[in-house]
Amino acid sequence: MDTSELKAASARYPKPPDLTPAYGTAGFRALADLLPSTVFRCGVLMVARSLKGGGNTGLVVTASHNPEADNGVKLVDPSGCMLEQAWESHADRLAAADTDEVVCAAVQELFRTEDIPYGTGVVMVAHDTRPSAAGLAAAAVAGVIALGGVAIPCGLLTTPQLHWMVRQANASAKHDEGAYFGALADGFATLVGRSPAPVQAVVVDCANGVGGAKLRALAERLGPQRLPLDVRNAGGAACSGGGLNDRCGAEHVQKERAVPIGCADIGVGGRCASLDGDADRIVFWTLADGGGMTLFDGDRIAALAALLVRDLLAALPADEHTPTVGVVQTAYANGASTAYLAGLGLAVVCTLTGVKHLHAAAEAFDAGIYFEANGHGTVLFGQRLVQRLHELPDDCEAARDLLALESMVNQAVGDALSGLLLVEAVLRQRGWGLAEWGALYTDLPSRQLKVRVRDRSVVRTTDAETRTVAPDGLQQAIDAAVQAAPGGRAFVRPSGTEDVVRVYAEADTQPAADALAAEVMRAVHDLAGRTGARP
Ligand code: NG1
Ligand code: ZN
């Protein structure tokens, strides 16, 4: 393999000497200024992945819910899903190479070990609205070209749009943006059918990110009668004071339980939703009497989706194979939601944090619903079920609705725009408002905190991240704190996207959950190395 072109191109994207990038929960993230070498090399990697997988791959420059000065890269497999986990170590090796020679050697090694055929790989490249995004996307394109690949510049897209487009492209199906909006809008139209129009608009806080413009386009496609939307924090000129993810968006609402900027005029009971910066997460919220916020998080969206899927499957004509339905969560799922879902008679599975883990577990079911509490998730339909739905007669309404759902809900990855339509469709079909949705179960009081330590990797976990095995004594300290809290549950894990250790606590009362989280945070400080704390 002649790597002279690669070496010359790599020299234009030198790695900062003390940077050792690590593929985290969802790709690489860092301050944008540090990233050109990482993104260039990801372009290289995704050509190799395209050649190995025999289809287009994807690369989106985004740091999701992180601050505007950060950036990152999310990588898309030929299936449209996230990069296969076995390739994360290839990504790490390439990103950490100290010299251009080591980059070339790592690429040669990759082709040898993975037995990759030579040819022209194709990589679809998109980016979010960060000021650094277009420059980093150009670095990705340079990486693609350096390995003889073809880069398809897709411009400004949400992360889930790019995943959807890669999946469609590799199925030789229409994969332009119009087709994406059409799939979502047509699925929604079928699902809501003649259900009465909503009486109130949904206010959607778009985190001043890419979701703003895309939601406006979707709203136009849907028509104001079908789903009246009041788009806030749409970024650009429509930005209401804050920058991307700054005091707004799904992460802010879910973790801080605080009303986003640009929404101060919302009255009690208003139906509101917040997307994150790359529009792959959505949570709903409303203001309660007395000023507090009621959050409808990913767990609650999963509950609505589970009810819909369960009822539609039950309405299908009997078959020798009864479709399996499962709901996949992480340890961050509120205990009350887990109990509710199990009470519906559905299989409930707990995986590691990060949608790549949830997605894989959901694929084991004919209909697999997965959502992280932060609002990242989707509903997957297995091939066998989809085929059967197509074979059922046209007048089978349940089959028609399930196929509409399959087209409306992104099959490649969690998608905030799909999620918005999913929630609205279920509420509309049932004639429910937020009150009925909220009444499905009562969340256990919970608290999440972030702790900064010297080296977060000293915290190591087991049992789907619910217990620690290092540092010594930490799990015993957590156990003691949990024992002392009525209805207590707590765990800690190092974040895969931020330089913090995350603390989660649940208990019978909010003060007890707060106290438990504080006690566990103290134990992390004491045993994992104190350097300060953040709420
Ligand atoms: P980390 O930072 O590894 O906890 C966060 C979210 C994940 C996932 C990723 C990717 C929490 C507690 N964690 O990961 O669920 O969404 O970001 O964006 O919300
Ligand atoms: Zn995101």
Side-chain angles (χ1 to χ4, degrees):
M1 178 185 209
D2 176 11
T3 55
S4 52
E5 214 167 297
L6 173 61
K7 191 171 160 205
S10 175
R12 291 194 281 278
Y13 297 92
K15 182 178 81 64
D18 45 3
L19 179 74
T20 309
Y23 191 102
T25 310
F28 294 102
R29 283 192 202 172
L31 270 175
D33 295 348
L34 299 173
L35 278 171
S37 65
T38 308
V39 177
F40 169 85
R41 294 164 190 201
C42 285
V44 172
L45 181 84
M46 295 317 281
V47 172
R49 184 71 192 140
S50 167
L51 290 170
K52 171 80 183 186
N56 295 6
T57 54
L59 183 159
V60 54
V61 175
T62 179
S64 189
H65 59 277
N66 286 16
E68 186 163 303
D70 286 2
N71 218 324
V73 59
K74 293 184 174 182
L75 304 175
V76 184
D77 245 16
S79 63
C81 302
M82 292 168 85
L83 179 69
E84 186 178 305
Q85 288 173 51
W87 274 58
E88 292 180 6
S89 54
H90 299 321
D92 277 337
R93 211 167 304 121
L94 209 51
D98 276 323
T99 64
D100 305 322
E101 287 76 18
V102 179
V103 168
C104 293
V107 169
Q108 284 173 322
E109 175 68 9
L110 172 62
F111 272 72
R112 209 168 26 249
T113 51
E114 288 285 342
D115 195 18
I116 296 171
Y118 293 117
T120 308
V122 180
V123 186
M124 299 166 73
V125 179
H127 59 84
D128 74 7
T129 53
R130 286 178 162 76
S132 57
L136 288 170
V141 168
V144 173
I145 293 168
L147 204 61
V150 171
I152 302 180
C154 299
L156 198 63
L157 292 177
T158 71
T159 296
Q161 279 186 309
L162 186 73
H163 281 266
W164 186 92
M165 288 175 184
V166 169
R167 182 175 189 269
Q168 294 285 109
N170 290 334
S172 303
K174 278 194 146 197
H175 57 273
D176 58 292
E177 202 173 27
Y180 168 84
F181 289 128
L184 268 63
D186 294 350
F188 184 73
T190 303
L191 277 167
V192 298
R194 286 184 302 279
S195 307
V199 286
Q200 62 181 149
V202 189
V203 175
V204 188
D205 148 36
C206 299
N208 285 320
V210 60
K214 303 306 179 186
L215 185 60
R216 287 216 165 103
L218 177 63
E220 210 162 286
R221 185 79 187 230
L222 286 161
Q225 276 75 29
R226 200 150 259 147
L227 185 59
L229 294 172
D230 176 354
V231 179
R232 306 278 179 102
N233 298 333
C239 181
S240 38
L244 179 66
N245 298 319
D246 176 15
R247 290 162 290 152
C248 58
E251 174 78 356
H252 173 79
V253 168
Q254 192 234 351
K255 301 285 190 323
E256 313 295 330
R257 310 274 165 98
V259 175
I261 58 166
C263 298
D265 59 319
I266 307 286
V268 169
R271 189 185 291 192
C272 307
S274 288
L275 320 181
D276 77 337
D278 64 339
D280 60 358
R281 296 187 189 178
I282 185 166
V283 294
F284 282 71
W285 53 276
T286 193
L287 291 182
D289 262 338
M293 171 186 276
T294 308
L295 178 71
F296 298 78
D297 62 5
D299 302 340
R300 277 194 193 273
I301 299 175
L304 277 190
L307 286 174
L308 177 66
V309 170
R310 182 197 63 167
D311 291 355
L312 288 175
L313 288 175
L316 291 177
D319 182 51
E320 61 202 32
H321 171 78
T322 306
T324 57
V325 191
V327 185
V328 187
Q329 303 185 311
T330 71
Y332 290 102
N334 193 280
S337 77
T338 312
Y340 173 78
L341 291 164
L344 293 180
L346 304 173
V348 186
V349 178
C350 179
T351 70
L352 300 177
T353 300
V355 279
K356 59 193 176 193
H357 302 294
L358 289 94
H359 191 101
E363 281 178 329
F365 300 96
D366 292 312
I369 297 146
Y370 73 84
F371 273 91
E372 294 187 307
N374 59 34
H376 196 175
T378 192
V379 182
L380 296 183
F381 290 87
Q383 246 174 6
R384 176 174 53 184
L385 176 57
V386 173
Q387 192 177 332
R388 168 147 189 261
L389 296 173
H390 280 297
E391 284 161 9
L392 285 166
D394 289 347
D395 61 357
C396 178
E397 286 183 14
R400 184 205 59 196
D401 279 4
L402 283 162
L403 285 170
L405 188 61
E406 193 252 351
S407 138
M408 184 187 86
V409 180
N410 198 321
Q411 295 297 294
V413 81
D415 184 333
L417 301 190
S418 287
L420 172 66
L421 300 187
L422 170 66
V423 167
E424 289 300 318
V426 184
L427 294 180
R428 194 88 63 86
Q429 276 197 350
R430 298 195 163 232
W432 282 2
L434 295 181
E436 289 82 359
W437 186 12
L440 290 179
Y441 59 85
T442 305
D443 273 321
L444 291 169
S446 68
R447 177 64 60 203
Q448 285 200 50
L449 298 173
K450 301 187 214 183
V451 191
R452 271 192 194 282
V453 295
R454 254 189 312 277
D455 173 9
R456 72 190 196 277
S457 70
V458 299
V459 176
R460 286 191 286 114
T461 64
T462 185
D463 289 352
E465 300 170 327
T466 54
R467 299 187 64 76
T468 56
V469 290
D472 278 351
L474 179 55
Q475 189 56 48
Q476 288 87 325
I478 296 172
D479 287 344
V482 166
Q483 283 269 300
R489 177 170 80 92
F491 65 94
V492 305
R493 54 176 279 281
S495 161
T497 62
E498 293 177 56
D499 189 14
V500 295
V501 174
R502 293 194 193 278
V503 173
Y504 179 88
E506 236 173 55
D508 282 350
T509 64
Q510 193 60 55
D514 293 348
L516 176 56
E519 181 63 29
V520 172
M521 182 171 85
R522 259 191 302 280
V524 174
H525 265 155
D526 292 347
L527 296 162
R530 180 188 291 266
T531 57
R534 294 202 306 190

